[in-house]
Amino acid sequence: MASAGLELDDLDRRILAELQEDGRRPFREIARQAGVSERTIRARVKRMQDAGVLRIIAFADPFQLGHHVLAFALLRVDARAHDKIVETLSTWPEASYVSSLMGRWDVYVQLVCPDNERLWDLVNHRIRGLHGVLETETTIEMRVHKFTYTYPLLFRAADGAEEP
């Protein structure tokens, strides 16, 4: 488990686990639980941030902010227009997540809208109006059962094998 050549040890993984649970957890508390100095934790966090392994962000619940429609659209696009479509979608405030896919669909975009009318306009006029969009399929998410940005961290066992 490395990024940009950064090898993570058990202390790094422990820090990540603590910060995934609560991104505002004081370094002093993490240090006390890990049995190291606060300075060590601060340096490790900075190193992981600099390497792109860790970003600490605030998550705002879209439903609590009046966005009552969560949907996703799958797009089949002309290969020559793919990069431009992804670039354009990524600038839209309603697009909370954009990714490229392999398979029947080429692009996935998660959409957050205040109401069905905004979603209708977004899909039928703006997305389908993009040059190179060949086909779309949109699904409204009726109920979210799990929404998290925490990921399992792999730890090395005594024999060197990685385990969750």
Side-chain angles (χ1 to χ4, degrees):
M1 180 175 177
S3 177
L6 182 65
E7 287 294 324
L8 301 180
D9 63 16
D10 288 344
L11 178 58
D12 293 325
R13 289 181 186 86
R14 183 171 189 170
I15 293 166
L16 288 172
E18 294 286 336
L19 291 173
Q20 281 189 138
E21 187 177 309
D22 178 0
R24 295 183 58 181
R25 181 159 288 144
F27 291 164
R28 178 176 40 246
E29 182 181 323
I30 297 170
R32 186 174 37 251
Q33 291 176 354
V36 297
S37 73
E38 182 178 349
R39 183 177 179 176
T40 297
I41 299 299
R42 190 172 311 283
R44 294 288 187 110
V45 167
K46 180 173 179 359
R47 181 175 59 89
M48 289 187 285
Q49 287 175 314
D50 290 348
V53 172
L54 173 64
R55 271 186 39 203
I56 299 173
I57 62 170
F59 172 76
D61 185 336
F63 296 105
Q64 298 298 322
L65 298 174
H67 300 286
H68 301 289
V69 178
L70 179 62
F72 64 88
L74 297 166
L75 286 61
R76 193 168 60 82
V77 303
D78 183 310
R80 294 168 295 201
H82 178 274
D83 291 347
K84 180 66 175 165
I85 289 169
V86 167
E87 181 182 315
T88 300
L89 291 170
S90 295
T91 67
W92 293 0
E94 302 91 346
S96 60
Y97 182 89
V98 179
S99 64
S100 296
L101 307 173
M102 299 288 287
R104 173 167 160 62
W105 301 102
D106 302 306
V107 177
Y108 170 95
V109 57
Q110 184 180 55
L111 304 165
V112 181
C113 298
D115 53 43
N116 286 332
E117 191 62 34
R118 180 75 59 88
L119 177 64
W120 177 263
D121 179 64
L122 190 63
V123 173
N124 286 308
H125 299 113
R126 290 175 64 197
I127 291 177
R128 290 184 178 154
L130 292 174
H131 173 72
V133 172
L134 305 173
E135 184 181 359
T136 67
E137 182 176 319
T138 304
T139 300
I140 294 178
E141 297 181 41
M142 299 303 295
R143 181 174 291 156
V144 176
H145 300 282
K146 181 178 180 179
F147 195 91
T148 182
Y149 284 103
T150 60
Y151 303 102
L153 299 168
L154 297 175
F155 290 88
R156 295 208 190 289
D159 64 3
E162 292 193 346
E163 353 177 290

